[in-house]
Amino acid sequence: MVNFRNLLLTVQDDGVAVITINRPDILNALDLQTLRELKGCIEEIRRDSRVKAVILQGAGDKAFVAGSDLMAMSRMTAHEAMAFSRFGHEVFNAIENLPMAVIGAIHGYCLGGGLGLALACDFRYASTTAKFGQPEVKYGIIPGFGGSQTLARLIGQGRAKEMIYTGDLIDAQEAYRIGLVNRVLPGEQLMETCEAVCRKIMEKGPIAIGSAKDAINRGLSMDLASGLSYEAQVFGNCFATLDQTEGMKAFLEKRKPVFLGK
């Protein structure tokens, strides 16, 4: 397993991988080195047949990720900033396209690029301490890691514009109310709940989970008719797998299926 400077990666015996952004002294801020390591980490997970689900968290008790590294960004030219933004998109896209569930475990500050990172997860659970925001306009810039696009698609254009234009933070309960997070939990229950949900998902057919993720993600960029057509294609492809045969046979035989991911 690769050793990272700014990340921690652990793979549990049951197949749950936990990625921890490990820069707690600066609230886990994202810089170019951290993004490069995160890309390498995702590539390693994709190659690791043991991994069946992923949890993404931040180190320490103050932040998930409190944004991008402003010290590093303050020295960027316009060209460098554009390249930084595009590389962030590339890394987050790699997370979105992992063929397994990725859950964001959010505690403390989840701001700016950190919110963009959280939005790259399939869904998010938050502790009661979590705070969310896109404060970039306070620094004379806009969200650069997908926030102007992915946030609006999740919570609606009006709410996203309000968050981005004002730079205001919202708490975990408001994030839940507007659909930004799926659950709000006491801090001590956050990781155990994420792990329990991962295990529940891992009981299902891995090809089916990956196929459902692909159909949802790609369908969101299509009109409804195209999305339905793509769903039918992916649905049909499932019937060429051993997992489909096993899943339906197990149901008819009233037993628990044994999926092979084939």
Side-chain angles (χ1 to χ4, degrees), residues 53-198:
V54 179
I55 300 170
L56 185 59
Q57 66 172 355
D61 58 3
K62 294 182 179 178
F64 171 72
V65 171
S68 300
D69 192 328
L70 286 177
M71 181 65 73
M73 286 199 300
S74 67
R75 299 187 292 266
M76 289 181 181
T77 65
H79 178 76
E80 289 169 339
M82 186 182 300
F84 184 55
S85 173
R86 286 177 171 164
F87 186 60
H89 296 162
E90 179 183 336
V91 175
F92 292 2
N93 187 60
I95 296 171
E96 291 171 358
N97 289 320
L98 279 173
M100 70 278 290
V102 181
I103 302 177
I106 316 298
H107 69 283
Y109 292 111
C110 180
L111 310 177
L115 182 50
L117 177 58
L119 291 169
C121 300
D122 290 304
F123 47 89
R124 292 145 293 282
Y125 292 164
S127 77
T128 53
T129 67
K131 301 285 186 183
F132 301 84
Q134 298 277 186
E136 287 91 345
V137 293
K138 295 179 180 180
Y139 315 119
I141 59 175
I142 72 166
F145 284 172
S148 69
Q149 305 302 310
T150 53
L151 186 62
R153 284 167 169 77
L154 181 65
I155 67 172
Q157 186 181 125
R159 287 193 176 106
K161 285 182 175 179
E162 182 180 31
M163 285 184 67
I164 292 169
Y165 292 2
T166 64
D168 288 345
L169 306 190
I170 61 173
D171 62 20
Q173 288 297 337
E174 177 65 5
Y176 174 75
R177 188 185 72 82
I178 64 177
L180 183 53
V181 301
N182 291 59
R183 299 188 194 180
V184 177
L185 301 153
E188 64 274 13
Q189 296 178 17
L190 181 60
M191 281 301 292
E192 66 181 55
T193 300
C194 289
E195 290 173 358
V197 172
C198 281

Side-chain angles (χ1 to χ4, degrees), residues 20-82:
T20 305
I21 310 298
N22 190 34
R23 306 181 79 200
D25 53 322
I26 52 172
L27 302 181
N28 303 317
L30 299 173
D31 63 357
L32 186 57
Q33 175 66 28
T34 306
L35 288 175
R36 285 172 176 159
E37 291 187 13
L38 188 54
K39 182 181 180 184
C41 182
I42 297 306
E43 291 170 352
E44 182 170 339
I45 284 173
R46 186 177 283 275
R47 292 190 299 265
D48 192 337
S49 60
R50 297 174 300 163
V51 178
K52 308 301 181 188
V54 179
I55 300 170
L56 185 59
Q57 66 172 355
D61 58 3
K62 294 182 179 178
F64 171 72
V65 171
S68 300
D69 192 328
L70 286 177
M71 181 65 73
M73 286 199 300
S74 67
R75 299 187 292 266
M76 289 181 181
T77 65
H79 178 76
E80 289 169 339
M82 186 182 300

